[in-house]
Amino acid sequence: MAGIRTVLIADDSDTQLLHLKSILESAGYKTITANSGNQAISLSQSLSPDVIMLDIVMEDGDGYKACRTIKKNPETNNTPIIMVSSKSNPVDKQWARQLGAADYIVKPYENSEVLEKLESI
């Protein structure tokens, strides 16, 4: 997807949030951060990011719930979602795709992998 400018990152780990934020901002992306799935849902509607990166395991609305809710909303259902999780089981990846996620990144990841996934959307 050419022209990605703004990426919403949702993770309840400040360390992970700051790491993704620094990778993306150093590559020229604008970032919005959320600490929960429910906050990501709200921000996706009010700020219309170009892409959303969701952790799966979060307090106050997990990434699966957020993905499902964002994809069911006509205002946000075209926004690509990349799941970012330490869950590396193929079943988790398959479930994420069934809910509408465009891609899946397993933690720990290489900085280049994050940028490649974004560019391939």
Side-chain angles (χ1 to χ4, degrees), residues 22-104:
S22 72
I23 293 169
L24 297 176
E25 288 183 354
S26 68
Y29 295 100
K30 181 178 173 216
T31 61
I32 305 163
T33 57
N35 295 103
S36 71
N38 289 336
Q39 188 180 15
I41 293 165
S42 174
L43 290 172
S44 73
Q45 293 167 349
S46 61
L47 300 176
S48 302
D50 298 310
V51 175
I52 301 169
M53 301 184 93
L54 289 174
D55 183 24
I56 292 175
V57 181
M58 293 184 282
E59 298 290 323
D60 190 31
D62 66 44
Y64 287 142
K65 175 185 179 245
C67 183
R68 183 170 44 246
T69 304
I70 290 165
K71 287 299 180 182
K72 282 185 177 176
N73 182 334
E75 290 176 28
T76 56
N77 67 358
N78 289 326
T79 307
I81 295 174
I82 299 173
M83 304 305 281
V84 184
S85 179
S86 55
K87 295 165 81 78
S88 59
N89 188 318
V91 173
D92 290 306
K93 294 179 184 179
Q94 185 179 0
W95 183 236
R97 287 205 189 274
Q98 285 179 337
L99 293 175
D103 216 328
Y104 196 104

Side-chain angles (χ1 to χ4, degrees), residues 11-32:
D11 199 314
D12 58 353
S13 159
D14 287 341
T15 306
Q16 289 294 328
L17 215 51
L18 290 172
H19 186 217
L20 274 174
K21 185 177 169 74
S22 72
I23 293 169
L24 297 176
E25 288 183 354
S26 68
Y29 295 100
K30 181 178 173 216
T31 61
I32 305 163

